[in-house]
């Protein structure tokens, strides 16, 4: 990647804001009312965010499958400004039966049908970025990724990504996609660092790495500073929130990292986006790396 400001990154051939919006909290357990959710999406757009991450499985009951995708489509349609540069990334392969559980279906048939349904809910000619959500032990990985490749070849999706993948799966997916894998979305946060190898691999391959739950997840994000003293201390020194510092730390790790913090309130996504203006020294990054 060419020298870049902290404000933008690339996913495939698309330039996006260096911080994205993870929209899941607006549609699962504890979700807010629609008015606040749409206000949050609009606040993200106002701030300059041009990447919104969703999935067909972000819903509560068996009757509101795709709730999050429909919500995003409604928010984009009702936004007063230009949204032509907004990349909506969705996923398929996870299923929520409606009893609170998460199950898997990576069969090619399901992936094809799920993508078609997502396409309709998002109201687009082609999905900007479609990601295989999570490996399904019942389905060979190459079959699941092959279904995504078929969507790409058919023009139903513009770019292809994977999620919750290990280094071997990343290499395999990129091979199956003919070198067209543009993103890997894995869990990564101060408390969850076991995906460092995937981050480093993406950096070496020039593939975007999208940390999900970068602040520790819905229930833990508010306690990030208390649980990680080094982040609390440096954030206090810099006069910023531990959450903002965490995202700045991730941005400093690689020019291919694009965090997607979940949010359901305008003020939290504004604070997250402000991380693009927080530039850390190599010494400060090293302290947080070692914490």
């Amino acid at each position: 990647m060419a020298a870049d400001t902290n404000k933008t990154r690339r996913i495939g051939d698309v330039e996006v804001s260096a911080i994205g919006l993870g929209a899941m909290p607006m549609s699962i357990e504890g979700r807010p009312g629609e008015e606040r959710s749409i206000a949050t999406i609009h606040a993200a757009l106002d701030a300059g965010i041009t990447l919104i991450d969703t999935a067909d499985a972000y819903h509560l009951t068996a009757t509101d499958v795709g709730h999050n995708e429909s919500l995003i489509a409604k928010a984009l349609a009702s936004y007063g400004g230009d949204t032509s540069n907004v990349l909506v990334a969705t996923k398929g392969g996870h299923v929520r039966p409606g009893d609170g559980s998460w199950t898997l279906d990576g069969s090619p048939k399901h992936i094809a049908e799920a993508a078609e349904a997502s396409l309709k809910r998002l109201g687009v000619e082609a999905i900007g970025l479609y990601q295989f959500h999570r490996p399904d032990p019942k389905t060979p990985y190459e079959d699941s990724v092959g279904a995504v490749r078929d969507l790409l070849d058919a023009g139903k999706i513009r770019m292809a990504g994977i999620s919750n993948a290990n280094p071997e799966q990343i290499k395999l997916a990129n091979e199956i996609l003919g070198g067209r894998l543009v993103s890997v979305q894995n869990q990564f946060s101060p408390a969850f660092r076991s995906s460092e190898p995937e981050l480093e691999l993406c950096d070496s391959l020039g593939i975007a790495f999208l940390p999900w739950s970068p602040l520790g997840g819905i229930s833990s994000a508010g306690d990030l500073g208390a649980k990680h003293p080094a982040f609390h201390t440096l954030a206090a020194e810099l006069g910023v929130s531990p959450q903002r510092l965490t995202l700045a730390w991730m941005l400093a790790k690689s020019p291919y990292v694009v965090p997607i913090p979940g949010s359901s309130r305008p003020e939290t996504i504004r604070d997250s986006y402000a991380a693009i203006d927080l530039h850390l020294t190599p010494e400060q990054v090293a302290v947080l790396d070692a914490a």
Side-chain angles (χ1 to χ4, degrees):
M1 178 182 292
D4 200 352
T5 68
N6 226 36
K7 295 187 183 298
T8 62
R9 300 279 159 105
R10 295 197 77 81
I11 298 178
D13 60 358
V14 177
E15 187 174 62
V16 298
S17 54
I19 299 288
L21 168 63
M24 184 179 78
M26 303 180 210
S27 291
I28 64 167
E29 288 78 1
R31 68 190 187 193
E34 185 177 279
E35 186 177 347
R36 193 179 96 189
S37 292
I38 289 179
T40 301
I41 296 169
H42 287 177
L45 298 172
D46 287 341
I49 286 176
T50 59
L51 171 65
I52 303 176
D53 182 77
T54 182
D56 62 354
Y58 296 164
H59 62 92
L60 268 181
T61 69
T63 58
D64 72 343
V65 175
H67 177 275
N68 202 243
E69 292 175 324
S70 299
L71 177 70
I72 290 166
K74 185 173 183 177
L76 290 173
S78 63
Y79 185 64
D82 180 19
T83 60
S84 61
N85 65 334
V86 176
L87 175 63
V88 176
T90 193
K91 299 180 286 292
H94 242 324
V95 182
R96 298 203 78 192
D99 59 0
S101 66
W102 296 76
T103 59
L104 299 166
D105 189 346
S107 66
K109 180 176 184 291
H110 174 77
I111 295 295
E113 292 174 350
E116 286 286 355
S118 292
L119 199 63
K120 290 184 175 66
R121 283 189 290 266
L122 292 171
V124 293
E125 292 181 5
I127 294 169
L129 172 59
Y130 195 75
Q131 305 153 100
F132 176 45
H133 205 152
R134 189 180 287 273
D136 176 6
K138 302 186 303 297
T139 305
Y141 195 67
E142 52 268 33
D143 291 355
S144 300
V145 177
V148 177
R149 177 200 57 214
D150 293 345
L151 293 168
L152 190 59
D153 291 341
K156 293 182 182 295
I157 65 175
R158 300 193 190 282
M159 296 187 292
I162 55 176
S163 184
N164 302 299
N166 62 35
E168 293 69 32
Q169 289 166 334
I170 294 172
K171 293 172 186 174
L172 177 58
N174 198 32
E175 182 180 328
I176 292 167
L177 289 163
R180 293 177 293 172
L181 179 68
V182 302
S183 65
V184 174
Q185 183 178 149
N186 276 18
Q187 185 175 7
F188 183 70
S189 70
F192 191 97
R193 304 196 193 190
S194 59
S195 49
E196 282 270 12
E198 290 83 8
L199 190 162
E200 293 170 3
L201 177 60
C202 286
D203 181 82
S204 70
L205 295 173
I207 293 171
F209 183 83
L210 282 52
W212 63 264
S213 286
L215 304 178
I218 299 170
S219 60
S220 301
D223 299 327
L224 192 153
K227 293 180 177 179
H228 304 281
F231 286 80
H232 171 79
T233 300
L234 182 54
E237 289 176 11
L238 297 173
V240 299
S241 68
Q243 292 79 11
R244 189 186 305 186
L245 174 68
T246 297
L247 297 173
W249 165 66
M250 291 184 181
L251 291 176
K253 291 181 75 65
S254 164
Y256 294 97
V257 172
V258 187
I260 47 172
S263 183
S264 63
R265 291 187 293 136
E267 53 269 34
T268 55
I269 195 58
R270 289 191 196 105
D271 185 71
S272 291
Y273 182 70
I276 66 171
D277 292 320
L278 180 58
H279 300 274
L280 304 180
T281 67
E283 293 76 19
Q284 289 168 332
V285 172
V287 167
L288 299 178
D289 281 345

